[in-house]
Amino acid sequence: STGAMLEDQGHKFTQAADGAAPLAALEPEPAGYDLIVSDYAMPVLSGADVVEKARELHPELPGIIITGYAEAQSISRRPKGVLVLTKPFTPDQLGEAIAYVSPAPRKAAAAV
């Protein structure tokens, strides 16, 4: 449903089933993505790990971690500047989160 929200807001996105897939997509073209939106509880790597490793390829990449299991304050080990968005959330809340972490116009988002 997050992908549908991104699409409705005019974003292009790549959807991934686990934490390793977005890194594989970023590796050949790190500048091709300008935002990571990841669930915190992911197979293989957590959302925090995904953003951390993605920033090794693209250091300024903004990130949003989505969670339904943990409060934002409890995800203490997350990369700097990463916003935590708690489920359930509305399309407006997602849009506000994107604007907050990266007010520049969006090219493409990676939703995992």
Side-chain angles (χ1 to χ4, degrees):
S1 64
T2 302
M5 286 183 197
L6 289 167
E7 189 171 67
D8 288 347
Q9 294 179 21
H11 302 284
K12 293 188 280 183
F13 68 95
T14 301
Q15 192 165 348
D18 63 46
L23 300 175
L26 276 169
E27 194 167 11
E29 191 181 356
Y33 294 88
D34 53 12
L35 174 66
I36 292 281
V37 178
S38 180
D39 199 292
Y40 181 70
M42 292 288 298
V44 183
L45 298 169
S46 74
D49 291 333
V50 169
V51 175
E52 185 176 279
K53 292 186 180 301
R55 285 184 174 171
E56 291 174 10
L57 300 168
H58 187 341
E60 300 301 319
L61 192 65
I64 298 171
I65 294 175
I66 299 168
T67 184
Y69 303 104
E71 301 229 356
Q73 307 312 330
S74 68
I75 303 176
S76 60
R77 196 197 68 70
R78 65 181 186 259
K80 181 180 176 185
V82 171
L83 182 77
V84 176
L85 187 59
T86 305
K87 295 176 190 176
F89 54 87
T90 66
D92 287 343
Q93 290 169 320
L94 177 60
E96 290 169 9
I98 292 169
Y100 181 80
V101 298
S102 183
R106 311 274 17 110
K107 290 185 290 188
V112 296

